[in-house]
Coordinates of all heavy atoms in Angstrom, one line a residue:
M1 N -144.8 -48.3 -101.0 CA -143.6 -48.6 -101.7 C -142.4 -48.0 -100.9 O -141.4 -48.6 -100.8 CB -143.6 -48.0 -103.1 CG -142.4 -48.2 -103.9 SD -142.3 -50.0 -104.2 CE -140.8 -50.0 -105.2
K2 N -142.6 -46.8 -100.3 CA -141.6 -46.1 -99.5 C -141.2 -47.0 -98.3 O -140.0 -47.1 -97.9 CB -142.1 -44.8 -99.1 CG -141.0 -44.0 -98.3 CD -141.5 -42.5 -98.0 CE -142.7 -42.5 -97.1 NZ -143.0 -41.2 -96.6
I3 N -142.2 -47.5 -97.6 CA -141.9 -48.4 -96.4 C -141.1 -49.6 -96.8 O -140.2 -50.0 -96.1 CB -143.2 -48.8 -95.7 CG1 -143.9 -47.5 -95.2 CG2 -143.0 -49.8 -94.7 CD1 -145.3 -47.7 -94.6
L4 N -141.4 -50.2 -98.0 CA -140.7 -51.4 -98.4 C -139.3 -51.0 -98.7 O -138.3 -51.8 -98.4 CB -141.4 -52.0 -99.6 CG -140.7 -53.3 -100.2 CD1 -140.8 -54.4 -99.2 CD2 -141.5 -53.7 -101.4
L5 N -139.0 -49.9 -99.4 CA -137.7 -49.5 -99.7 C -136.9 -49.1 -98.5 O -135.7 -49.5 -98.4 CB -137.7 -48.3 -100.6 CG -136.4 -47.8 -101.2 CD1 -135.8 -48.9 -102.0 CD2 -136.7 -46.6 -102.1
R6 N -137.6 -48.6 -97.5 CA -136.9 -48.3 -96.2 C -136.5 -49.6 -95.5 O -135.4 -49.7 -95.0 CB -137.8 -47.4 -95.3 CG -137.2 -47.1 -94.0 CD -138.1 -46.2 -93.2 NE -137.5 -45.7 -92.0 CZ -138.1 -45.0 -91.1 NH1 -139.3 -44.6 -91.3 NH2 -137.5 -44.7 -90.0
L7 N -137.4 -50.5 -95.5 CA -137.1 -51.8 -94.9 C -136.0 -52.5 -95.5 O -135.1 -53.1 -94.9 CB -138.3 -52.7 -94.9 CG -138.3 -54.0 -94.2 CD1 -138.0 -53.9 -92.7 CD2 -139.5 -54.8 -94.4
I8 N -135.9 -52.5 -96.9 CA -134.8 -53.1 -97.6 C -133.5 -52.4 -97.3 O -132.5 -53.1 -97.1 CB -135.1 -53.0 -99.1 CG1 -136.3 -54.0 -99.5 CG2 -133.9 -53.3 -100.0 CD1 -136.7 -53.8 -100.9
C9 N -133.5 -51.1 -97.2 CA -132.2 -50.4 -96.8 C -131.8 -50.8 -95.4 O -130.6 -50.9 -95.1 CB -132.5 -48.9 -96.8 SG -132.6 -48.2 -98.5
I10 N -132.7 -50.9 -94.5 CA -132.4 -51.3 -93.1 C -131.8 -52.7 -93.1 O -130.7 -53.0 -92.5 CB -133.6 -51.2 -92.2 CG1 -134.0 -49.7 -92.0 CG2 -133.3 -51.9 -90.8 CD1 -135.3 -49.5 -91.3
V11 N -132.4 -53.6 -93.7 CA -132.0 -55.0 -93.8 C -130.6 -55.1 -94.5 O -129.7 -55.8 -94.0 CB -133.0 -55.9 -94.5 CG1 -132.4 -57.3 -94.7 CG2 -134.3 -56.0 -93.6
L12 N -130.5 -54.5 -95.6 CA -129.2 -54.5 -96.3 C -128.0 -53.9 -95.6 O -126.9 -54.3 -95.5 CB -129.3 -53.8 -97.7 CG -130.1 -54.6 -98.7 CD1 -130.2 -53.9 -100.0 CD2 -129.5 -56.0 -99.0
G13 N -128.3 -52.8 -94.9 CA -127.3 -52.1 -94.0 C -126.9 -53.0 -92.9 O -125.7 -53.2 -92.7
G14 N -127.9 -53.7 -92.3 CA -127.5 -54.6 -91.2 C -126.7 -55.8 -91.7 O -125.7 -56.2 -91.1
L15 N -127.1 -56.4 -92.8 CA -126.4 -57.5 -93.3 C -125.0 -57.1 -93.8 O -124.0 -57.9 -93.6 CB -127.2 -58.2 -94.5 CG -128.5 -58.9 -94.1 CD1 -129.2 -59.4 -95.3 CD2 -128.1 -60.1 -93.2
A16 N -124.9 -56.0 -94.4 CA -123.6 -55.6 -95.0 C -122.6 -55.3 -93.9 O -121.5 -55.9 -94.0 CB -123.8 -54.3 -95.8
L17 N -123.0 -54.6 -92.9 CA -122.0 -54.3 -91.8 C -121.7 -55.6 -91.0 O -120.5 -55.8 -90.7 CB -122.5 -53.2 -90.9 CG -121.6 -52.8 -89.8 CD1 -120.3 -52.1 -90.4 CD2 -122.2 -51.8 -88.8
S18 N -122.7 -56.4 -90.8 CA -122.4 -57.6 -90.1 C -121.5 -58.6 -90.9 O -120.6 -59.2 -90.3 CB -123.8 -58.4 -89.8 OG -123.6 -59.6 -89.2
F19 N -121.7 -58.6 -92.2 CA -120.8 -59.5 -93.0 C -119.4 -58.9 -93.0 O -118.4 -59.7 -92.9 CB -121.4 -59.5 -94.4 CG -120.6 -60.3 -95.3 CD1 -120.6 -61.7 -95.4 CD2 -119.7 -59.7 -96.3 CE1 -119.9 -62.5 -96.2 CE2 -118.9 -60.5 -97.2 CZ -119.0 -61.9 -97.1
V20 N -119.2 -57.6 -93.2 CA -117.9 -57.0 -93.3 C -117.1 -57.3 -92.0 O -116.0 -57.6 -92.0 CB -118.0 -55.6 -93.6 CG1 -116.7 -54.8 -93.4 CG2 -118.4 -55.4 -95.1
V21 N -117.8 -57.1 -90.9 CA -117.1 -57.3 -89.5 C -116.8 -58.7 -89.3 O -115.7 -59.1 -88.8 CB -118.0 -56.7 -88.4 CG1 -117.5 -57.1 -87.0 CG2 -118.1 -55.2 -88.5
A22 N -117.7 -59.6 -89.7 CA -117.5 -61.0 -89.5 C -116.3 -61.5 -90.3 O -115.4 -62.1 -89.8 CB -118.7 -61.8 -89.9
K23 N -116.3 -61.2 -91.6 CA -115.2 -61.6 -92.5 C -113.9 -60.9 -92.3 O -112.8 -61.5 -92.5 CB -115.7 -61.5 -94.0 CG -116.8 -62.5 -94.3 CD -116.3 -63.9 -94.2 CE -117.5 -64.8 -94.5 NZ -117.2 -66.2 -94.2
G24 N -114.0 -59.6 -92.0 CA -112.8 -58.8 -91.9 C -112.1 -58.8 -90.5 O -110.9 -58.6 -90.4
V25 N -113.0 -59.0 -89.5 CA -112.4 -58.9 -88.1 C -112.6 -60.2 -87.3 O -111.6 -60.8 -86.7 CB -113.1 -57.7 -87.4 CG1 -112.6 -57.6 -85.9 CG2 -112.9 -56.4 -88.1
L26 N -113.8 -60.7 -87.2 CA -114.1 -61.8 -86.3 C -113.5 -63.1 -86.7 O -113.0 -63.8 -85.8 CB -115.6 -61.9 -86.1 CG -116.3 -60.8 -85.5 CD1 -117.8 -61.0 -85.4 CD2 -115.8 -60.5 -84.1
V27 N -113.5 -63.4 -88.0 CA -113.0 -64.7 -88.4 C -111.5 -64.7 -88.2 O -110.9 -65.7 -87.6 CB -113.4 -65.0 -89.9 CG1 -112.6 -66.1 -90.4 CG2 -114.8 -65.3 -90.0
P28 N -110.7 -63.7 -88.6 CA -109.3 -63.7 -88.4 C -108.9 -63.8 -86.9 O -108.0 -64.6 -86.5 CB -108.7 -62.5 -89.0 CG -109.7 -62.1 -90.0 CD -111.0 -62.5 -89.5
I29 N -109.6 -63.0 -86.1 CA -109.4 -63.0 -84.6 C -109.7 -64.4 -84.1 O -109.0 -64.9 -83.2 CB -110.1 -61.9 -83.9 CG1 -109.5 -60.6 -84.3 CG2 -110.1 -62.1 -82.4 CD1 -110.2 -59.4 -83.7
G30 N -110.8 -64.9 -84.5 CA -111.2 -66.3 -84.0 C -110.3 -67.4 -84.4 O -110.0 -68.2 -83.5
Q31 N -109.7 -67.3 -85.6 CA -108.8 -68.3 -86.0 C -107.5 -68.2 -85.2 O -106.9 -69.2 -84.8 CB -108.5 -68.2 -87.5 CG -109.6 -68.7 -88.3 CD -109.4 -68.5 -89.8 OE1 -108.5 -67.7 -90.2 NE2 -110.2 -69.1 -90.6
W32 N -107.0 -67.0 -85.0 CA -105.8 -66.7 -84.2 C -106.0 -67.2 -82.7 O -105.2 -67.9 -82.2 CB -105.5 -65.2 -84.2 CG -104.3 -64.9 -83.3 CD1 -103.0 -65.0 -83.5 CD2 -104.5 -64.4 -81.9 NE1 -102.3 -64.6 -82.4 CE2 -103.1 -64.3 -81.4 CE3 -105.5 -64.2 -81.1 CZ2 -102.9 -63.9 -80.1 CZ3 -105.3 -63.7 -79.8 CH2 -104.0 -63.6 -79.3
Y33 N -107.2 -66.9 -82.2 CA -107.5 -67.3 -80.8 C -107.5 -68.8 -80.7 O -107.0 -69.4 -79.7 CB -108.8 -66.7 -80.4 CG -109.2 -67.0 -78.9 CD1 -108.5 -66.3 -77.9 CD2 -110.1 -68.0 -78.6 CE1 -108.8 -66.6 -76.6 CE2 -110.4 -68.2 -77.3 CZ -109.8 -67.5 -76.2 OH -110.1 -67.8 -74.9
E34 N -108.1 -69.5 -81.7 CA -108.2 -70.9 -81.6 C -106.8 -71.6 -81.7 O -106.6 -72.6 -81.0 CB -109.1 -71.4 -82.8 CG -109.3 -72.9 -82.8 CD -110.1 -73.4 -84.0 OE1 -110.6 -72.5 -84.8 OE2 -110.4 -74.6 -84.0
M35 N -106.0 -71.0 -82.5 CA -104.7 -71.7 -82.6 C -103.7 -71.3 -81.5 O -102.8 -72.1 -81.2 CB -104.0 -71.2 -84.0 CG -104.8 -71.7 -85.1 SD -104.7 -73.5 -85.1 CE -105.5 -73.9 -86.6
N36 N -103.8 -70.1 -81.0 CA -102.7 -69.6 -80.0 C -103.2 -69.5 -78.6 O -102.3 -69.6 -77.7 CB -102.2 -68.2 -80.5 CG -101.6 -68.3 -81.9 OD1 -100.9 -69.2 -82.1 ND2 -101.9 -67.3 -82.7
K37 N -104.4 -69.3 -78.3 CA -104.8 -68.9 -76.9 C -105.7 -69.9 -76.3 O -105.7 -70.0 -75.0 CB -105.4 -67.5 -76.8 CG -104.4 -66.4 -77.1 CD -103.3 -66.3 -76.1 CE -102.4 -65.2 -76.5 NZ -101.3 -65.1 -75.5
A38 N -106.6 -70.5 -77.0 CA -107.7 -71.4 -76.4 C -107.1 -72.6 -75.7 O -106.2 -73.3 -76.3 CB -108.7 -71.8 -77.5
Q39 N -107.6 -72.8 -74.5 CA -107.0 -73.9 -73.7 C -108.0 -75.1 -73.8 O -107.6 -76.3 -73.6 CB -106.9 -73.5 -72.3 CG -105.9 -72.4 -72.1 CD -104.5 -72.9 -72.4 OE1 -104.1 -74.0 -72.1 NE2 -103.7 -72.0 -73.1
S40 N -109.3 -74.8 -74.0 CA -110.3 -75.9 -74.0 C -111.5 -75.6 -74.9 O -111.6 -74.4 -75.4 CB -110.8 -76.2 -72.6 OG -111.5 -75.0 -72.1
E41 N -112.4 -76.5 -75.0 CA -113.7 -76.2 -75.7 C -114.5 -75.1 -75.1 O -115.2 -74.4 -75.8 CB -114.5 -77.5 -75.8 CG -113.9 -78.6 -76.8 CD -114.0 -78.2 -78.2 OE1 -115.0 -77.5 -78.6 OE2 -113.1 -78.5 -78.9
S42 N -114.4 -75.0 -73.8 CA -115.1 -73.9 -73.1 C -114.6 -72.6 -73.5 O -115.4 -71.7 -73.7 CB -114.9 -74.1 -71.6 OG -115.5 -73.1 -70.9
D43 N -113.3 -72.4 -73.7 CA -112.8 -71.1 -74.2 C -113.3 -70.8 -75.6 O -113.7 -69.7 -75.9 CB -111.3 -71.2 -74.3 CG -110.6 -71.2 -72.9 OD1 -111.3 -70.9 -71.9 OD2 -109.4 -71.5 -72.8
L44 N -113.3 -71.8 -76.4 CA -113.9 -71.6 -77.8 C -115.4 -71.3 -77.8 O -115.8 -70.4 -78.6 CB -113.6 -72.9 -78.7 CG -112.1 -73.1 -79.0 CD1 -112.0 -74.5 -79.7 CD2 -111.5 -72.0 -79.7
T45 N -116.1 -71.9 -76.9 CA -117.5 -71.6 -76.8 C -117.7 -70.2 -76.4 O -118.6 -69.5 -76.9 CB -118.2 -72.6 -75.9 OG1 -118.0 -74.0 -76.3 CG2 -119.7 -72.4 -75.8
Q46 N -117.0 -69.8 -75.4 CA -117.1 -68.4 -74.9 C -116.7 -67.4 -75.9 O -117.4 -66.4 -76.2 CB -116.3 -68.3 -73.6 CG -116.5 -66.9 -72.9 CD -115.7 -66.8 -71.7 OE1 -114.7 -67.5 -71.5 NE2 -116.1 -66.0 -70.8
A47 N -115.7 -67.7 -76.7 CA -115.3 -66.8 -77.8 C -116.4 -66.7 -78.9 O -116.6 -65.6 -79.5 CB -114.0 -67.2 -78.4
F48 N -117.0 -67.9 -79.2 CA -118.1 -67.9 -80.2 C -119.2 -67.1 -79.7 O -119.8 -66.3 -80.6 CB -118.4 -69.4 -80.4 CG -119.5 -69.5 -81.5 CD1 -119.2 -69.3 -82.8 CD2 -120.8 -69.9 -81.1 CE1 -120.2 -69.5 -83.8 CE2 -121.8 -70.0 -82.0 CZ -121.5 -69.8 -83.4
V49 N -119.6 -67.2 -78.5 CA -120.7 -66.4 -78.0 C -120.4 -64.9 -78.0 O -121.3 -64.1 -78.4 CB -121.1 -66.8 -76.5 CG1 -122.1 -65.9 -75.9 CG2 -121.7 -68.2 -76.5
I50 N -119.2 -64.5 -77.7 CA -118.8 -63.1 -77.8 C -118.9 -62.6 -79.2 O -119.4 -61.5 -79.6 CB -117.4 -62.9 -77.2 CG1 -117.5 -63.1 -75.7 CG2 -116.9 -61.5 -77.5 CD1 -116.2 -63.2 -75.0
A51 N -118.4 -63.5 -80.2 CA -118.4 -63.1 -81.6 C -119.9 -63.0 -82.1 O -120.1 -62.1 -82.9 CB -117.7 -64.2 -82.4
L52 N -120.8 -63.8 -81.6 CA -122.1 -63.7 -82.1 C -122.8 -62.4 -81.5 O -123.5 -61.7 -82.2 CB -123.0 -64.9 -81.6 CG -122.8 -66.2 -82.3 CD1 -123.7 -67.3 -81.7 CD2 -123.3 -66.0 -83.8
A53 N -122.4 -62.0 -80.3 CA -122.9 -60.8 -79.7 C -122.4 -59.6 -80.5 O -123.2 -58.7 -80.8 CB -122.5 -60.7 -78.2
V54 N -121.1 -59.6 -80.8 CA -120.5 -58.5 -81.6 C -121.2 -58.4 -83.0 O -121.6 -57.3 -83.4 CB -119.0 -58.7 -81.8 CG1 -118.4 -57.7 -82.8 CG2 -118.3 -58.5 -80.4
Q55 N -121.5 -59.5 -83.6 CA -122.1 -59.6 -84.9 C -123.6 -59.1 -84.8 O -124.0 -58.3 -85.7 CB -122.0 -60.9 -85.5 CG -122.4 -61.0 -87.0 CD -122.0 -62.3 -87.6 OE1 -121.7 -63.3 -87.0 NE2 -122.2 -62.3 -88.9
A56 N -124.3 -59.4 -83.7 CA -125.6 -58.9 -83.6 C -125.6 -57.4 -83.4 O -126.5 -56.7 -84.0 CB -126.3 -59.6 -82.4
I57 N -124.7 -56.9 -82.6 CA -124.6 -55.4 -82.4 C -124.3 -54.7 -83.7 O -124.8 -53.7 -84.1 CB -123.5 -55.1 -81.3 CG1 -124.0 -55.5 -80.0 CG2 -123.1 -53.6 -81.4 CD1 -123.0 -55.5 -78.9
C58 N -123.4 -55.4 -84.6 CA -123.1 -54.8 -85.8 C -124.3 -54.8 -86.8 O -124.5 -53.9 -87.6 CB -121.9 -55.5 -86.5 SG -120.3 -55.2 -85.7
A59 N -125.1 -55.8 -86.7 CA -126.3 -55.9 -87.5 C -127.3 -54.8 -87.1 O -127.9 -54.1 -88.0 CB -127.0 -57.3 -87.3
I60 N -127.4 -54.5 -85.8 CA -128.3 -53.4 -85.3 C -127.7 -52.1 -85.8 O -128.5 -51.2 -86.3 CB -128.4 -53.4 -83.8 CG1 -129.2 -54.7 -83.4 CG2 -129.1 -52.2 -83.3 CD1 -129.2 -55.1 -82.0
V61 N -126.4 -51.8 -85.6 CA -125.8 -50.6 -86.1 C -125.9 -50.4 -87.6 O -126.2 -49.3 -88.1 CB -124.4 -50.5 -85.6 CG1 -123.6 -49.3 -86.2 CG2 -124.3 -50.4 -84.0
G62 N -125.7 -51.5 -88.3 CA -125.8 -51.4 -89.8 C -127.2 -51.1 -90.2 O -127.5 -50.4 -91.2
G63 N -128.2 -51.7 -89.5 CA -129.6 -51.3 -89.8 C -129.9 -49.9 -89.5 O -130.6 -49.2 -90.3
W64 N -129.3 -49.4 -88.5 CA -129.5 -47.9 -88.1 C -128.9 -47.1 -89.2 O -129.4 -46.1 -89.7 CB -128.9 -47.6 -86.8 CG -128.9 -46.2 -86.4 CD1 -130.0 -45.5 -86.0 CD2 -127.8 -45.3 -86.4 NE1 -129.7 -44.2 -85.7 CE2 -128.3 -44.0 -86.0 CE3 -126.5 -45.4 -86.7 CZ2 -127.5 -42.9 -85.9 CZ3 -125.7 -44.3 -86.6 CH2 -126.2 -43.1 -86.2
L65 N -127.7 -47.5 -89.7 CA -127.0 -46.7 -90.7 C -127.7 -46.8 -92.0 O -127.9 -45.8 -92.8 CB -125.6 -47.3 -90.9 CG -124.6 -46.9 -89.8 CD1 -123.3 -47.7 -90.1 CD2 -124.3 -45.5 -89.7
G66 N -128.3 -48.0 -92.3 CA -129.1 -48.1 -93.5 C -130.3 -47.2 -93.5 O -130.7 -46.6 -94.5
D67 N -130.9 -47.1 -92.3 CA -132.1 -46.2 -92.2 C -131.7 -44.7 -92.4 O -132.4 -44.0 -93.0 CB -132.7 -46.4 -90.8 CG -134.0 -45.5 -90.6 OD1 -134.8 -45.6 -91.5 OD2 -134.0 -44.8 -89.6
R68 N -130.5 -44.4 -91.8 CA -130.0 -43.0 -92.0 C -129.8 -42.7 -93.5 O -130.0 -41.6 -94.0 CB -128.8 -42.8 -91.2 CG -129.1 -42.6 -89.7 CD -127.9 -42.1 -88.9 NE -127.3 -41.0 -89.5 CZ -127.4 -39.7 -89.1 NH1 -128.3 -39.4 -88.1 NH2 -126.8 -38.7 -89.7
V69 N -129.2 -43.6 -94.2 CA -128.9 -43.5 -95.6 C -130.2 -43.3 -96.4 O -130.4 -42.4 -97.2 CB -128.1 -44.7 -96.2 CG1 -128.1 -44.7 -97.7 CG2 -126.7 -44.7 -95.7
F70 N -131.2 -44.1 -96.0 CA -132.6 -44.0 -96.7 C -133.1 -42.6 -96.4 O -133.7 -41.9 -97.3 CB -133.5 -45.1 -96.2 CG -134.9 -44.9 -96.7 CD1 -135.2 -45.2 -98.0 CD2 -135.9 -44.3 -95.9 CE1 -136.5 -45.0 -98.5 CE2 -137.2 -44.1 -96.4 CZ -137.5 -44.5 -97.7
R71 N -133.1 -42.1 -95.2 CA -133.7 -40.8 -94.8 C -133.0 -39.7 -95.5 O -133.6 -38.8 -96.0 CB -133.6 -40.6 -93.3 CG -134.6 -41.4 -92.5 CD -134.5 -41.2 -91.1 NE -135.3 -42.1 -90.3 CZ -135.9 -41.8 -89.2 NH1 -135.7 -40.6 -88.6 NH2 -136.6 -42.7 -88.6
K72 N -131.6 -39.8 -95.6 CA -130.9 -38.7 -96.4 C -131.3 -38.8 -97.8 O -131.4 -37.7 -98.5 CB -129.4 -38.9 -96.2 CG -129.0 -38.5 -94.8 CD -127.5 -38.4 -94.7 CE -127.1 -38.1 -93.3 NZ -126.5 -36.8 -93.2
W73 N -131.4 -39.9 -98.4 CA -131.7 -40.1 -99.8 C -133.1 -39.5 -100.1 O -133.4 -38.8 -101.0 CB -131.6 -41.5 -100.3 CG -132.1 -41.8 -101.6 CD1 -131.5 -41.5 -102.8 CD2 -133.4 -42.3 -102.0 NE1 -132.3 -41.9 -103.9 CE2 -133.5 -42.4 -103.4 CE3 -134.5 -42.8 -101.3 CZ2 -134.5 -42.9 -104.1 CZ3 -135.6 -43.3 -101.9 CH2 -135.6 -43.3 -103.3
R74 N -134.0 -39.9 -99.1 CA -135.5 -39.4 -99.3 C -135.5 -37.9 -99.1 O -136.3 -37.3 -99.8 CB -136.3 -40.1 -98.2 CG -137.7 -39.8 -98.4 CD -138.4 -40.5 -99.6 NE -139.8 -40.2 -99.6 CZ -140.4 -40.0 -100.7 NH1 -139.9 -40.2 -101.9 NH2 -141.7 -39.7 -100.7
Q75 N -134.8 -37.3 -98.2 CA -134.7 -35.9 -98.1 C -134.2 -35.2 -99.3 O -134.8 -34.2 -99.7 CB -133.9 -35.5 -96.8 CG -134.0 -34.1 -96.4 CD -135.4 -33.6 -96.1 OE1 -136.1 -34.4 -95.4 NE2 -135.8 -32.5 -96.5
K76 N -133.2 -35.8 -99.9 CA -132.7 -35.2 -101.2 C -133.8 -35.3 -102.3 O -133.9 -34.3 -103.1 CB -131.5 -35.9 -101.7 CG -130.2 -35.5 -100.8 CD -129.0 -36.2 -101.4 CE -127.8 -35.9 -100.5 NZ -126.6 -36.6 -101.0
Q77 N -134.6 -36.3 -102.3 CA -135.6 -36.5 -103.3 C -136.7 -35.4 -103.0 O -137.2 -34.8 -104.0 CB -136.3 -37.9 -103.2 CG -135.4 -39.0 -103.6 CD -135.1 -39.0 -105.1 OE1 -136.0 -38.6 -105.9 NE2 -133.9 -39.4 -105.4
L78 N -137.0 -35.1 -101.8 CA -138.0 -34.1 -101.5 C -137.5 -32.8 -101.8 O -138.3 -31.9 -102.2 CB -138.4 -34.3 -100.0 CG -139.2 -35.5 -99.7 CD1 -139.4 -35.6 -98.2 CD2 -140.5 -35.6 -100.4
D79 N -136.2 -32.5 -101.5 CA -135.6 -31.1 -101.8 C -135.6 -30.8 -103.3 O -135.7 -29.7 -103.7 CB -134.2 -31.1 -101.2 CG -134.2 -31.0 -99.7 OD1 -135.3 -30.8 -99.1 OD2 -133.1 -31.3 -99.1
R80 N -135.5 -31.8 -104.1 CA -135.4 -31.6 -105.5 C -136.8 -31.2 -106.1 O -136.9 -30.5 -107.1 CB -135.0 -32.8 -106.3 CG -133.6 -33.1 -106.1 CD -133.2 -34.3 -106.9 NE -131.8 -34.8 -106.5 CZ -131.3 -35.9 -106.8 NH1 -132.0 -36.8 -107.6 NH2 -130.1 -36.3 -106.4
Q81 N -137.9 -31.6 -105.4 CA -139.2 -31.3 -105.9 C -139.6 -30.0 -105.5 O -139.7 -29.0 -105.4 CB -140.2 -32.4 -105.4 CG -140.0 -33.7 -105.9 CD -140.9 -34.7 -105.2 OE1 -141.7 -34.5 -104.4 NE2 -140.8 -36.0 -105.7

């Protein structure tokens, strides 16, 4: 049960940070870039690939943060006993 809960924390942390960064940062920057700076489809493709890489990094960092939250929560549970 502990392993399942830890896995859920990791997945939720990754999804949450990835979602927040995508909706709060990447989408507005992407729309601005598309309207103001992109010269061709190649520019948009390159920007899309960079955005996917940033989102993947955010998912990894979010998973790491979710694991840290789980470990701190679990340590508090053990300290209480």
Side-chain angles (χ1 to χ4, degrees):
M1 184 65 179
K2 183 174 67 170
I3 293 174
L4 181 62
L5 189 57
R6 183 177 183 185
L7 183 62
I8 289 171
C9 286
I10 291 170
V11 169
L12 287 178
L15 288 174
L17 186 62
S18 179
F19 179 79
V20 167
V21 169
K23 292 297 179 186
V25 178
L26 296 177
V27 170
I29 289 174
Q31 289 174 346
W32 174 83
Y33 183 77
E34 182 179 2
M35 294 298 183
N36 297 318
K37 296 290 181 181
Q39 299 291 322
S40 65
E41 288 291 322
S42 176
D43 290 346
L44 293 177
T45 302
Q46 189 175 20
F48 181 71
V49 169
I50 291 169
L52 283 177
V54 169
Q55 195 167 6
I57 291 168
C58 288
I60 292 167
V61 170
W64 176 75
L65 290 173
D67 184 49
R68 285 192 48 100
V69 166
F70 173 79
R71 288 180 186 211
K72 286 187 183 256
W73 174 77
R74 186 71 181 145
Q75 188 61 41
K76 285 182 182 179
Q77 294 288 325
L78 293 174
D79 289 344
R80 286 184 194 165
Q81 295 175 356

